[in-house]
Amino acid sequence: MTNKATVTAPSNIAFIKYWGARDLAQAVPMNASISMTLTECVSRSTVAFSDGSDRPDRIELVGDDGSLTPPPPSFRERALAHLDRVRRWARRDGSFHVATRNSFPTGAGIASSASGFAALTLASTKALGLTLSTSELSDLARMSGSGSAARSVLGGYVEWSPAGEGAGHAVAIAPASHWDLRDVIALVDHGEKDVSSLDGHRLAASSPHFEARQRILPERLAIVRRAIEDRDLDALGPVLEEEAIELHLIAMSSKPPIFYWKPGTIQVLERLRGMRREGLFAWATMDAGANVHVICTPQAEAPVIAALTGLSGVSSVLLDGVGEGPRGEREHLF
Ligand code: PMV
């Protein structure tokens, strides 16, 4: 018998970043992180599970025109390992067929691994007929090796804190309806990044600044939690930018150094400073990539778009904002 399920899972943008792991294979983080789940940048996965079949698992990427292509080897390997993990968790024999589609450029610092592995986890467990709690799903998604996927199984504002030496799991700290924040994503580079976030985590502790970061984080986490609770962008914004710059400082000072920024990254950061001097408040954050996520209120969104699209280093902008989290779909990709 074959069972099929399709799930759309969003990406998320971290306000406090997961950077550095105790156990990289299982994504056991060194520090807690807080993110906002997005709504437009999503991965949709259809997973079919054929009971008892011994065919090898099959994974395909669906292009914009509906064409099917094999995924890049790095994703394929991790996805196959993850399907195996899910099968073992369910104690079932059989084979998976997966088709997955991203609504945004893959590997360009828009956390395609978060939405991709969240969608794969949710659709594969659903195809197996499992009913798992959100904590179990968050746990399972994290074990893919993409820690940020642990946060993408939930909507709104999400915190993922390690429990002692263990990984812990993500919990929602406020629903999307609590605070309508927008994320204007300035695309300064469409290409795949040169160094994966996995390598970034691996090298993080080699930076002389990594330990100092661990000492600063508890206070920063508290400010971000409170700013979300109070819907206070004036309190959140400066900490957002400080945190993102620190992630890149650690990357740039790792041994060997990792440099994600492009000229367009600096242009956007400079423009935002100028805008704030003119009284328009919007703040930047970046993941392990060159693109800049500009966090602002709905009122500031249009002027932010206008300012960013005028920059020579920005090829286009994607409009996103806080979202409700993953959802099941009736329509399958195959
Ligand atoms: O989920 P990973 O292993 O790709 O790591 C995510 C790293 C950052 O996106 C830079 C930060 C974060 O917390 O999302």
Side-chain angles (χ1 to χ4, degrees), residues 12-19 24 27 33-35 78 109 111 113-114 145-151 160 193 196-198 201 247 286-289:
N12 67 77
I13 179 67
F15 292 172
I16 299 287
K17 314 289 182 182
Y18 155 45
W19 200 243
L24 193 55
S33 54
I34 296 180
S35 58
R78 290 174 72 190
S113 64
S146 169
S148 51
R151 299 186 309 244
W160 170 34
K193 59 193 177 212
S196 69
S197 46
L198 271 181
H201 292 301
L247 178 147
M286 290 90 71
D287 278 342

Side-chain angles (χ1 to χ4, degrees), residues 183-219:
D183 179 4
V184 180
I185 308 169
L187 292 179
V188 303
D189 182 30
H190 281 269
E192 289 268 336
K193 59 193 177 212
D194 300 336
V195 184
S196 69
S197 46
L198 271 181
D199 285 333
H201 292 301
R202 186 175 296 122
L203 295 174
S206 69
S207 161
H209 307 293
F210 185 72
E211 269 182 44
R213 165 170 171 72
Q214 302 309 312
R215 287 195 295 275
I216 295 165
L217 275 173
E219 193 190 333

Side-chain angles (χ1 to χ4, degrees), residues 144-320:
S144 68
S146 169
S148 51
R151 299 186 309 244
S152 265
V153 304
L154 290 150
Y157 298 88
V158 177
E159 176 158 0
W160 170 34
S161 303
E165 300 281 296
H169 51 254
V171 294
I173 55 174
S177 57
H178 171 73
W179 194 11
D180 183 4
L181 277 185
R182 304 293 163 87
D183 179 4
V184 180
I185 308 169
L187 292 179
V188 303
D189 182 30
H190 281 269
E192 289 268 336
K193 59 193 177 212
D194 300 336
V195 184
S196 69
S197 46
L198 271 181
D199 285 333
H201 292 301
R202 186 175 296 122
L203 295 174
S206 69
S207 161
H209 307 293
F210 185 72
E211 269 182 44
R213 165 170 171 72
Q214 302 309 312
R215 287 195 295 275
I216 295 165
L217 275 173
E219 193 190 333
R220 207 179 272 160
L221 280 155
I223 296 173
V224 169
R225 269 184 223 117
R226 199 171 325 121
I228 292 173
E229 197 182 322
D230 298 345
R231 301 183 195 91
D232 184 352
L233 190 58
D234 294 340
L236 179 66
V239 177
L240 259 190
E241 238 174 74
E242 181 182 300
E243 168 67 5
I245 289 167
E246 189 172 280
L247 178 147
H248 286 267
L249 164 81
I250 303 257
M252 290 173 198
S253 57
S254 290
K255 295 179 177 59
I258 310 167
F259 210 97
Y260 290 114
W261 289 7
K262 299 282 182 211
T265 313
I266 311 269
Q267 264 188 4
V268 174
L269 292 176
E270 268 183 8
R271 188 70 196 92
L272 290 179
R273 273 159 213 256
M275 278 161 49
R276 292 197 293 263
R277 277 195 299 272
E278 293 153 18
L280 181 65
F281 291 95
W283 302 88
T285 182
M286 290 90 71
D287 278 342
N291 299 322
V292 189
H293 293 248
V294 179
I295 306 298
C296 62
T297 60
Q299 297 73 32
E301 194 180 29
V304 166
I305 296 166
L308 298 186
T309 43
L311 297 176
S312 62
V314 175
S315 56
S316 57
V317 296
L318 299 177
L319 305 187
D320 215 324

